[in-house]
Amino acid sequence: MFIDFATFLRKTEHLRIHTGERPYICSYCGISFKKYSTRYAHEMRHKIKNGEIPKIFIQFILFSLTR
């Protein structure tokens, strides 16, 4: 039986609900997450707070989200 990659990822993420697995760990504070995207967004907040991301980049992201 063939399962495409996207289906495999959704199944893997869904199983973490039942197993409690949280393999993605924030490199700033150590909080763990079930999804890579959630950890990525969390770490971006640390980078913005610490000034690691230029303000022009943040403005571009906010502008892009409003369109």
Side-chain angles (χ1 to χ4, degrees):
M1 181 174 158
F2 177 75
I3 299 176
D4 66 5
F5 187 68
T7 303
F8 175 76
L9 286 180
R10 283 193 300 272
K11 181 181 177 186
T12 302
E13 287 181 348
H14 173 76
L15 288 175
R16 289 185 185 136
I17 293 170
H18 303 290
T19 64
E21 180 185 12
R22 299 170 76 88
Y24 303 107
I25 300 171
C26 175
S27 59
Y28 290 88
C29 65
I31 295 175
S32 59
F33 299 90
K34 294 176 186 175
K35 292 177 147 186
Y36 173 83
S37 60
T38 307
R39 195 236 26 207
Y40 181 81
H42 173 82
E43 285 188 345
M44 287 296 283
R45 287 191 286 276
H46 280 293
K47 290 178 182 183
I48 291 168
K49 185 177 178 182
N50 294 340
E52 296 175 36
I53 297 177
K55 287 185 180 183
I56 190 72
F57 183 69
I58 297 166
Q59 291 170 346
F60 173 75
I61 291 172
L62 293 175
F63 177 77
S64 298
L65 292 174
T66 60
R67 298 200 156 248

